Amino acid sequence: MPEATVAGVLAELGELEDPKIRAVNEKHGDDHGVNLGALRSLAKRLKTNQDLACQLWESGDAAARLLALLICRPKAFTRDELDSMLRQARAPKVHSWLVSYVVKKSSHAEELRQTWLADPDPTVAASGWELTTARVLTKPEGFDPAGLLDVIETEMGGAPDRLQWAMNHCLAQIGIEYPAHRARALAIGERLGVLKDYPTSPGCTSPYAPVWITEMVRRQQKS
């Protein structure tokens, strides 16, 4: 799509809008109705375009912001720009893609992780925990699993849903990746009971940390 304009892209996103998809997404807090497969196809046609990405983000439209995250240059953003973007966006999918596709690839990821973890806004703090879980998995050097478990044990039970989910994910990954801390992670999960009754489809692993940890460790030992 040569010389794409913001108006042209927004018009195409409008044509992709599906009321049924929007209805489903809105149940999860996401205010858009564009099929994500179609969104990715559009991003592939547009290719990387930082200027267009910034303009799409500024439109405030959720689908446009998701598209912006697919065509931007993650390393082109400053630390303050990424912090501002996270605070501007409230939709869970936009937050998730911003952290996964942009912040994790940025040189500012560790600084933002520490800043967001301590933020009083639970939605911002949840993103800090997402980055913390990524570090558990990819860059464990210098980490303090025991200290993280202390915080999780104290705060996860009463945390708002999105923050609780992010902390639970970190708890499970510590239990999976750190054998020395596995027994404590299991005990915390059992005592707090977070997501114990979460409905899980057949063939899927429950997000309840004791079940999640046990199943993933079993698979690791089997492989």
Side-chain angles (χ1 to χ4, degrees):
M1 185 183 292
E3 299 182 2
T5 65
V6 174
V9 174
L10 290 175
E12 184 160 359
L13 289 173
E15 292 175 0
L16 293 172
E17 177 78 15
D18 184 328
K20 293 181 180 179
I21 294 177
R22 176 176 284 273
V24 172
N25 287 340
E26 286 182 341
K27 292 180 181 179
H28 303 286
D30 291 309
D31 55 341
H32 76 89
V34 178
N35 176 278
L36 295 182
L39 195 71
R40 292 181 186 279
S41 295
L42 177 55
K44 187 175 181 180
R45 285 165 41 216
L46 288 170
K47 303 184 187 274
T48 301
N49 187 327
Q50 181 67 9
D51 290 340
L52 179 60
C54 290
Q55 293 176 65
L56 289 171
W57 181 271
E58 288 301 320
S59 74
D61 179 81
R65 285 183 163 177
L66 290 172
L67 181 60
L69 297 173
L70 293 175
I71 66 172
C72 72
R73 291 187 176 87
K75 295 181 180 179
F77 294 106
T78 67
R79 179 258 183 223
D80 289 345
E81 285 173 333
L82 292 173
D83 184 69
S84 178
M85 289 166 71
L86 186 81
R87 296 173 191 279
Q88 290 170 12
R90 308 310 292 179
K93 182 65 69 175
V94 176
H95 267 193
S96 177
W97 280 23
L98 175 61
V99 172
S100 297
Y101 298 160
V102 181
V103 179
K104 286 181 182 178
K105 298 177 182 179
S106 165
S107 61
H108 309 293
E110 179 58 19
E111 181 184 356
L112 289 170
R113 182 187 74 80
Q114 296 181 39
T115 298
W116 292 345
L117 269 181
D119 199 280
D121 183 334
T123 301
V124 176
S127 294
W129 280 97
E130 289 179 37
L131 291 174
T132 298
T133 301
R135 270 212 59 178
V136 168
L137 292 168
T138 61
K139 296 180 181 179
E141 302 82 6
F143 241 44
D144 178 18
L148 289 173
L149 291 176
D150 288 343
V151 176
I152 292 170
E153 186 170 22
T154 302
E155 299 180 7
M156 184 173 74
D161 288 349
R162 283 171 67 178
L163 178 55
Q164 187 179 73
W165 188 277
M167 295 176 79
N168 182 72
H169 188 188
C170 190
L171 171 66
Q173 292 302 337
I174 290 173
I176 294 165
E177 301 296 331
Y178 294 84
H181 298 277
R182 186 169 297 148
R184 186 182 175 199
L186 288 166
I188 290 172
E190 289 171 357
R191 184 174 70 79
L192 296 181
V194 170
L195 299 176
K196 184 174 183 178
D197 299 321
Y198 190 84
T200 305
S201 301
C204 296
T205 302
S206 169
Y208 175 49
V211 172
W212 190 353
I213 293 168
T214 301
E215 174 59 19
M216 297 310 296
V217 171
R218 183 191 69 78
R219 294 183 190 181
Q220 289 178 351
Q221 294 173 342
K222 184 177 180 181
S223 60

